[in-house]
Amino acid sequence: MKKFIVVTVLALAWSVAFGQVSVVPPTGIAPRFLKNDRELAKQTKPASRHWLLDANDDAERFRRVESWAGSIDAEMQIVAHRFEELHAAIRQGSWDLATYHWEKILGRMNVASMKRPTRTQNIEVLFLEAGPSQAMNDALKARDPTRSSAAFQTVLQACVACHTAEKVGFVNDSPIFKRLAALPGPEK
């Protein structure tokens, strides 16, 4: 399985690296790595745009992929975007689209939990298993604008509670929460 993953990642990296055509002219500045990454400094090949292919071994390639994939904050940015899209779909009565975004939110929550397993308990207890998630599922399945709008606000409050429980309550001061909390109910 590991070999399959390595081959897949390398194939993707190769196709991206060699398939790109840019209208941006080269700067003429010699490529180099940031000085603060000791692992990158160990690379035997000179720095180039082939950041995975040029790595010394698979362990370093996987380290780079993990770094590139980001942490839970990247997942939460995607979730925030999907929440805005979910709300818009509910307002428009576009139930298939709303369900699509809701399923993507749940998927990102699973990835967030995988990336930060110490956060899993609160993600499950406050968001997935406490009822807000099921209420949203049921409201979307019923295609009920009033229930969906109420479930949306409940799920949003579950996010706020999770951030607080995880001692990152300052995240709740982000403008996205003000925008989402102020969203109107379903269009008439």
Side-chain angles (χ1 to χ4, degrees):
M1 181 65 171
K2 183 178 177 183
K3 188 173 183 176
F4 172 76
I5 293 170
V6 170
V7 170
T8 303
V9 168
L10 289 176
L12 178 63
W14 184 86
S15 66
V16 169
F18 292 106
Q20 291 180 342
V21 176
S22 178
V23 295
V24 179
T27 63
I29 299 170
R32 68 174 177 84
F33 293 121
L34 292 173
K35 297 173 187 171
N36 67 347
D37 191 326
R38 291 187 176 107
E39 294 303 313
L40 290 176
K42 294 176 185 176
Q43 181 173 303
T44 55
K45 292 182 180 178
S48 78
R49 64 189 276 176
H50 309 292
W51 60 281
L52 283 178
L53 295 172
D54 289 348
N56 292 340
D57 55 35
D58 287 347
E60 174 59 10
R61 285 182 187 91
F62 279 115
R63 185 190 76 83
R64 292 177 186 190
V65 169
E66 269 192 344
S67 176
W68 165 76
S71 185
I72 195 171
D73 61 316
E75 301 312 316
M76 292 298 104
Q77 284 184 317
I78 294 168
V79 167
H81 168 72
R82 295 282 184 183
F83 263 105
E84 290 182 309
E85 296 296 319
L86 171 63
H87 186 272
I90 290 169
R91 277 189 45 101
Q92 296 165 7
S94 182
W95 300 110
D96 292 339
L97 182 59
T99 301
Y100 172 81
H101 285 298
W102 178 242
E103 289 172 355
K104 295 300 181 181
I105 288 169
L106 296 176
R108 292 291 81 173
M109 296 304 286
N110 286 334
V111 173
S113 178
M114 176 184 65
K115 287 182 173 183
R116 280 290 178 89
T118 58
R119 306 253 196 249
T120 299
Q121 182 176 343
N122 281 323
I123 289 171
E124 284 178 339
V125 169
L126 297 170
F127 186 79
L128 297 175
E129 296 174 355
S133 180
Q134 190 59 49
M136 180 58 79
N137 285 334
D138 294 345
L140 292 175
K141 187 179 277 186
R143 298 175 177 248
D144 184 318
T146 304
R147 281 177 56 197
S148 295
S149 291
F152 179 89
Q153 291 302 325
T154 302
V155 169
L156 186 61
Q157 288 309 306
C159 293
V160 168
C162 188
H163 297 153
T164 301
E166 289 294 335
K167 298 182 174 64
V168 292
F170 56 86
V171 171
N172 297 328
D173 294 334
S174 298
I176 183 78
F177 287 98
K178 288 182 178 70
R179 287 195 310 269
L180 291 174
L183 292 172
E187 292 177 348
K188 302 289 181 194

